Amino acid sequence: AYGQTGTGKTHTMLGDNSIQGGQGITPRALNQIFDTASQDPHYSYSIEVAFIQIYMEMIQDLLQPDNEGIRIREDPEHGVFVSGVCWVNTKNAGECLDLIQMGQKNRAVAFTKMNAHSSRSHAVFMLKMQRRCKLSPEEMQQLDNEDSKMRDHSLLKSTLYLVDLAGSERVKKTQSSGSRLHEAKAINLSLSALGNCIHALTEKRPNSHVPFRDSKLTRLLQDSLGGNAKTALVVTIGPSIKHTEETISSLLFGSRAMKIENTPEVNKEIDYRALCIKLQAELDKRDDTLYSGEIDRKAYETEIQRLKIEAQKLHEDNYTISQTYTAAVQSGKFDPNTERTLKAEKEKELRAIETFYQDTMRKQEEDHRTFLEEVDKLMIEQENELAVLKNENSQLKVSNKELQSDLEFTLGELERESKDREIRIGELVQERDVLQQKISNQALEFEQAKNAMIQQADSGLRDKHQDLITQYKKLEDENNRLRSVQNQLQEDFQQTMMKMSAEYEKSEQQFKAELYRRKQDWDNEVIHKVEELEVEIRRESEKKMLAFHEENQRLSSKFSDLK
């Protein structure tokens, strides 16, 4: 289950068992698994469960919190698995739900602005199942004697991962601080690594690197992402419009994940338990054969002993008859012809008994020889099979030792690489924090410098503007002074004219023309000088005003650039 914090991932996975029909995915899956296992008459099932959490890139056992040494390892045959975790053998779904409730109490949960019971870790409930045939040795022997097409005797293995991911967070919305902030960083970092892996898998570039080792979450879910697994993803979203960006991001994540192509295979192995039962049945069969041969041998020996006793009895009878015959001959009571006849009959009878005895002995010897040959043959076959098994066992031991050494070396390399990566991640996190601090300091310094430059530019513009106004006022004062000088000159001229008219009143007639001419010349000269002064003042004022406007425009453009 993937989605923003507070959108119902834990409720989707676990649900509410107190409400009818309110069960989540996990209880429904457990009920279906145990119902199927209990209703199967031909196979037996072994089910074990474990419950872990990934909290700030640390794997913790929720069923046994003091458990240490939990690591993620990889096997060439079985893929990625978790070592050191506590596996509990269960018989029904109720026991599994009780274990889940116990693990939920040990899970990291905290209060945030967006969720009162926010999960601060990724929870992974693992269910490991094995299926094997539960036939008796007689039935297995019967199936082997037939065509063995009824049922497969191999061992099937499977592991179910039920993952409740922690929600992605935005700090400005959750307003996390302190340890909550560090937890949010770890959560977002692992989810970013998950997104990077999905992006790399969907690119489908040849020889492209998929960064599964960037996070323990992606390392654990390596088989679920493009490996030997069938994966289902539930994306949860918030209905509020203020979470639009997070909703779009979650849906894009789900659409990218849908493009991943997995390669699931049936995890079939040799059922050594069934193979052991089968070999035991064959050994019992051979033991029965040997026992029956032993019984036949004892019967033959008993028969041979009986025949020996009969032969001894016949020899004794023959001796008794010979003694009787000798006594009868000596007493003259026995006819020689009768003697020969009886002797021939006795010899014939003895030869018949001897022939029967020899035939019986020969037959028993042949049967015994055949039995011994069969026993020797069986013993040779067993010795050959035992030698082959010992050879295979020694080869397996050698291969196991080599694999064990390779595995230990690889695990050491992986542990060293993991430690190096953790150290590097810590350094990168510290460098990131330092860079963020530097960026914030530089942003603050830039803002202060910008404000200072704006104030300086503003004060400079104001000073320039004030200087120009001051110069303009000075020019106006100079112009006013020149005008006052002109007025003073005019007044002085009038006074001079009045004095001259008073002084030269008598000679007005004589010097009227000369004085008028001189007056005209003086007026023209004064007016010319005044005009020259006005032109010069106007030109200087225009130059000053033009320079003022240019400087004002330059400062305005600089001020706008600074803004």
Side-chain angles (χ1 to χ4, degrees), residues 325 329 333-345:
Y325 173 72
V329 170
K333 295 179 179 180
F334 199 78
D335 188 8
N337 294 325
T338 306
E339 176 186 358
R340 286 193 293 270
T341 304
L342 291 173
K343 191 175 181 179
E345 290 178 355

Side-chain angles (χ1 to χ4, degrees), residues 46-257:
S46 173
I47 299 175
E48 296 178 333
V49 297
F51 200 10
I52 63 173
Q53 71 172 357
I54 302 176
Y55 176 73
M56 295 185 69
E57 290 301 308
M58 294 184 296
I59 301 178
Q60 299 174 353
D61 194 342
L62 294 177
L63 300 181
Q64 193 172 349
D66 57 348
N67 195 0
E68 297 180 357
I70 301 175
R71 298 185 183 276
I72 299 176
R73 304 185 184 276
E74 185 174 5
D75 184 78
E77 295 181 359
H78 303 92
V80 179
F81 64 96
V82 182
S83 66
V85 71
C86 176
W87 289 94
V88 180
N89 195 359
T90 56
K91 302 298 181 183
N92 52 56
E95 294 181 1
C96 296
L97 294 176
D98 293 338
L99 293 173
I100 291 174
Q101 292 298 326
M102 183 178 69
Q104 283 292 111
K105 295 178 181 178
N106 297 324
R107 191 179 176 188
V109 179
F111 173 83
T112 64
K113 290 290 184 180
M114 295 186 66
N115 190 358
H117 302 281
S118 176
S119 300
R120 314 308 294 169
S121 64
H122 308 298
V124 183
F125 182 77
M126 299 178 291
L127 185 144
K128 186 164 61 177
M129 181 168 55
Q130 295 182 357
R131 191 194 76 176
R132 55 169 46 91
C133 185
K134 60 179 180 181
L135 293 176
S136 63
E138 292 77 10
E139 292 174 334
M140 291 184 66
Q141 182 180 359
Q142 183 180 1
L143 289 177
D144 291 334
N145 292 334
E146 295 173 3
D147 204 4
S148 187
K149 294 182 180 180
M150 294 179 63
R151 235 180 350 266
D152 190 5
H153 297 163
S154 59
L155 176 66
L156 295 184
K157 291 185 177 181
S158 180
T159 305
L160 175 64
Y161 292 91
L162 296 167
V163 185
D164 178 17
L165 295 174
S168 58
E169 296 183 4
R170 288 198 173 184
V171 179
K172 68 178 182 180
K173 289 186 178 182
T174 58
Q175 298 181 5
S176 301
S177 61
S179 59
R180 302 287 86 79
L181 180 60
H182 292 295
E183 291 170 353
K185 289 180 181 178
I187 292 169
N188 292 335
L189 182 64
S190 60
L191 293 177
S192 298
L194 179 61
N196 293 335
C197 291
I198 290 177
H199 180 71
L201 289 169
T202 54
E203 279 188 346
K204 295 182 180 180
R205 293 180 180 176
N207 299 324
S208 62
H209 172 66
V210 182
F212 286 118
R213 295 182 181 271
D214 288 352
S215 172
K216 285 185 171 59
L217 175 65
T218 54
R219 180 70 171 145
L220 180 62
L221 300 179
Q222 181 174 348
D223 286 338
S224 301
L225 302 174
N228 181 17
K230 291 182 179 180
T231 305
L233 177 68
V234 179
V235 179
T236 60
I237 60 175
S240 177
I241 194 172
K242 65 181 180 181
H243 303 317
T244 304
E245 295 182 2
E246 288 81 358
T247 299
I248 293 174
S249 176
S250 299
L251 293 176
L252 289 175
F253 177 88
S255 63
R256 286 197 301 268

Side-chain angles (χ1 to χ4, degrees), residues 438-501:
K438 287 183 179 180
I439 289 171
S440 60
N441 294 334
Q442 288 179 359
L444 182 61
E445 291 176 358
F446 176 75
E447 189 69 23
Q448 293 175 355
K450 183 180 73 173
N451 295 330
M453 291 178 68
I454 291 172
Q455 292 177 359
Q456 185 178 0
D458 193 10
S459 62
L461 287 174
R462 289 177 182 174
D463 294 339
K464 290 284 186 182
H465 189 261
Q466 192 67 30
D467 292 340
L468 291 174
I469 291 174
T470 304
Q471 292 178 4
Y472 184 72
K473 287 182 178 181
K474 287 180 179 180
L475 290 175
E476 286 185 349
D477 294 339
E478 186 69 20
N479 193 12
N480 293 330
R481 189 182 65 79
L482 291 174
R483 285 183 180 177
S484 63
V485 169
Q486 183 183 4
N487 294 331
Q488 186 67 33
L489 289 173
Q490 288 180 356
E491 291 178 357
D492 292 342
F493 176 73
Q494 289 178 1
Q495 291 177 2
T496 303
M497 287 299 295
M498 290 177 66
K499 288 180 180 181
M500 287 179 68
S501 61

Side-chain angles (χ1 to χ4, degrees), residues 16 51 67 113 185 307 430 510 520 539 553 557:
D16 189 358
F51 200 10
N67 195 0
K113 290 290 184 180
K185 289 180 181 178
L307 291 174
Q430 292 178 358
Q510 296 176 2
Q520 290 293 328
R539 188 181 298 113
Q553 289 179 358
S557 63

Side-chain angles (χ1 to χ4, degrees), residues 270-281:
I270 298 173
D271 191 356
Y272 290 101
R273 184 183 299 176
L275 183 61
C276 181
I277 294 173
K278 181 179 178 181
L279 292 175
Q280 186 65 38

Side-chain angles (χ1 to χ4, degrees), residues 472 475 479 482-483 530-546:
Y472 184 72
L475 290 175
N479 193 12
L482 291 174
R483 285 183 180 177
V530 170
E531 288 178 353
E532 287 179 354
L533 286 172
E534 288 180 351
V535 169
E536 185 177 355
I537 290 169
R538 192 178 294 110
R539 188 181 298 113
E540 188 69 22
S541 178
E542 288 178 353
K543 286 181 180 180
K544 297 278 184 159
M545 289 299 292
L546 183 61

